[in-house]
Amino acid sequence: MTEKSGADILVEALIDLGVEVVFGYPGGAVLPIYDALFKQNAAPGRRQIKHILVRHEQAATHAAEGYARSTGKPGVVLVTSGPGATNAVTGIADALMDSIPMVVITGQVPTTLIGSDAFQEADTVGITRHCSKHNYLVKDPAKLGDVVHEAFHIATQGRPGPVVIDIPKDVQVATAKYRKPGPIQHKTYRPQVKADPALIETAVEMLAAAERPILYTGGGVINSGPAATQLLRELARITGAPVTSTLMGLGAYPATGEQWLGMLGMHGTYESNWAMNQADLILCLGARFDDRVTGRLDAFAPNSKKIHVDIDRSSMNKTVRVDLPVVGDVGLAMEDMLKVWKARQTPKPDLSAWWARIAEWRAVRCLDFPASREEIMPQHAIRALYEATKARQPIITTEVGQHQMWAAQHFGFDAPNKWLTSGGLGTMGYGLPAAIGAQLGNPGALVIDIAGEASIQMNIQELATATQYRLPVKIFILNNEYMGMVRQWQELTYESRYAESYSDSLPDFVKLGEAYGWKGILIERPDQLDDGIAAMLDHDGPVIVDCRVAKLANCFPMIPSGAAHTEMLLQAAEVSGTMDDEAKALV
């Protein structure tokens, strides 16, 4: 083996790991790596790594997230030291919260200058310690190759997450030998993949005996892979149990399925939240009982037994005490449960009485909204978009706010990896770069970012990235001229005192799009909606649609902060305009 520079070792390790796309932004502390990438891609006959030049490092991380979530492959980010690394922190934290496999490579000042407040120096390892799954500061080029392979192993195994590799500039230019390592056997990180067979047996017994069961599913089902989503559908069919999902789990079970109750939680459906509250058995699959799902903890499903299946041991009994914690990959656990169920020849339970109660809750028609001929209701805009695109099974990304919740409620997802949104961190500016990453990972797919006029401006510069790489991304803005979710909470919680939530001085989005080489479309009236959507879909390049919707429409149903599932609000008339201080603290 000949010695190679640390930068060349990094690039060769990425090639060995099958990396095809890197999202990044160059700077002084990563110039040796960029030069190594240039030489790799310029050499005839060598495997190439496509580098996507974003316009901001935060966008690089969100694009990597979109790529990872839509393809199942880890996203890779390359940024410089100091402000390059700190700009990436939001995306790193976002990936940690939503369990997205990502490797972030950051440049660092030379080892001799670390700790001296050198130009563009930041303590990247210290800053990212609590918002990454793991991080490294590599001081020896001989260890770099092994670190890169181990980082990808940690990012993708167990509960996925972001791993940071901080590489000083002198390590990038120093030389060492590199050999592709064998299978990674980490000394301490060995997540339990196979669940305890005895616990699987007990789970099946509890499920078979339940009279009011519900399958509560989350993003872990999607992270487990395509096979897991098929196993979920089989488990639902064989047990007859209703299915609900977190925001992150949409698409694991088809929205057109007869047993689908819709999303649960703060803006979930009436039937899903009541079913969770009244169930006698909750089978939680790859979810984590987060606060947006549970509502007030002492009133959450008080009479139910709870089984929690998750690969992350630390999630067990973290917020909700469960009767049966089952640690393991949720896909493999469901496979084992189905084997036990069938081996026992367990008859399909008679859940007719349970389904009769669910039918009563469904009859409330909680997602209905007032029709209007004068203005476009945002819910109607989402449904129109869904009807126009459902045959193509588009990949939908969102920003964060009311539009995000309306999309979750009114756009149906029948397949996994088609719904990409920032759930745990709630990051405005996520949708456009995530759409760019998803489009790069799925070149033939229709990719649409459903946005708000406030959120879209957080990373609006990435219009240039889509233009440069000829990506036919579509942006569908629900423009109500407000930071809609902020305004809604101010209406419900602070007696309609709209402090700084009105989006004044908005740009002309059509002209802005055209300035970046996009096609711009303005939709102002209900009778323009269908034709505007059709024009967006007919254009083979990137399109930005400014859809002017009702300014004061609110997102219902909703569970107010501090309330129980049984205290859902279905319309604005039920809102008093005041909340006590304890509830305000939970918003």
Side-chain angles (χ1 to χ4, degrees), residues 161-496:
V163 177
V164 176
I165 308 174
D166 198 30
I167 312 175
K169 193 170 183 180
D170 57 333
V171 175
Q172 298 171 34
V173 298
T175 60
K177 295 178 180 178
Y178 167 73
R179 173 183 291 161
K180 180 180 178 180
I184 302 295
Q185 295 292 331
H186 198 277
K187 292 180 180 179
T188 57
Y189 183 64
R190 297 183 179 181
Q192 181 178 338
V193 175
K194 197 73 171 173
D196 185 332
L199 297 179
I200 294 292
E201 294 270 358
T202 303
V204 170
E205 290 172 3
M206 294 171 66
L207 188 57
E211 296 178 355
R212 301 185 307 280
I214 187 168
L215 306 184
Y216 156 42
T217 65
V221 177
I222 295 174
N223 282 343
S224 184
T229 61
Q230 295 303 314
L231 290 165
L232 171 62
R233 296 164 196 221
E234 175 65 8
L235 184 64
R237 184 194 66 80
I238 206 168
T239 62
V243 183
T244 185
S245 170
T246 65
L247 179 71
M248 299 303 294
L250 295 178
Y253 186 85
T256 53
E258 293 182 357
Q259 292 163 249
W260 175 243
L261 301 187
M263 182 178 70
L264 83 162
M266 180 171 283
H267 291 287
T269 63
Y270 188 79
E271 53 265 35
S272 66
N273 282 319
W274 266 101
M276 284 286 283
N277 184 270
Q278 295 295 303
D280 65 352
L281 178 76
I282 295 174
L283 175 56
C284 174
L285 300 165
R288 56 185 177 88
F289 293 100
D290 72 281
D291 61 293
R292 281 333 196 222
V293 163
T294 62
R296 197 173 75 240
L297 282 173
D298 63 0
F300 174 70
N303 300 313
S304 70
K305 292 183 178 179
K306 301 173 184 69
I307 305 169
H308 189 183
V309 183
D310 201 286
I311 200 165
D312 181 9
R313 188 181 298 274
S314 69
S315 291
M316 299 298 177
N317 296 312
K318 180 186 286 186
T319 56
V320 172
R321 299 294 299 180
V322 299
D323 299 274
L324 186 68
V326 181
V327 178
D329 180 273
V330 69
L332 296 178
M334 286 191 289
E335 183 179 25
D336 290 343
M337 290 177 70
L338 286 166
K339 288 178 181 177
V340 172
W341 186 286
K342 293 174 181 177
R344 293 183 172 194
Q345 297 183 330
T346 308
K348 189 173 184 177
D350 180 8
L351 303 179
S352 55
W354 180 222
W355 278 107
R357 293 186 67 183
I358 291 171
E360 294 175 2
W361 297 323
R362 279 176 164 170
V364 172
R365 299 181 63 85
C366 67
L367 294 181
D368 284 358
F369 54 90
S372 175
R373 294 183 178 180
E374 287 73 38
E375 56 185 357
I376 300 171
M377 299 304 294
Q379 303 94 324
H380 174 57
I382 296 295
R383 289 189 180 183
L385 183 65
Y386 170 64
E387 291 298 328
T389 61
K390 63 182 180 181
R392 296 176 62 178
Q393 290 198 327
I395 297 172
I396 300 295
T397 71
T398 76
E399 309 294 334
V400 169
Q402 282 181 320
H403 65 274
Q404 175 191 30
M405 294 297 105
W406 282 319
Q409 291 173 337
H410 297 279
F411 202 105
F413 296 93
D414 284 346
N417 307 106
K418 304 293 185 183
W419 166 249
L420 317 180
T421 195
S422 175
L425 199 62
T427 306
M428 295 173 71
Y430 170 90
L432 174 53
I436 287 171
Q439 190 75 80
L440 281 157
N442 304 266
L446 171 62
V447 181
I448 305 172
D449 173 26
I450 297 176
E453 84 292 332
S455 276
I456 191 62
Q457 295 186 81
M458 289 283 188
N459 271 313
I460 195 72
Q461 74 283 341
E462 298 309 312
L463 294 174
T465 305
T467 300
Q468 177 176 344
Y469 297 100
R470 295 176 173 81
L471 302 175
V473 170
K474 318 299 182 191
I475 300 174
F476 192 78
I477 301 173
L478 298 182
N479 185 350
N480 58 13
E481 299 182 6
Y482 278 94
M483 299 173 205
M485 193 60 81
V486 174
R487 185 207 57 76
Q488 178 169 335
W489 277 109
Q490 288 172 332
E491 177 183 334
L492 305 187
T493 313
Y494 295 96
E495 299 176 312
S496 299

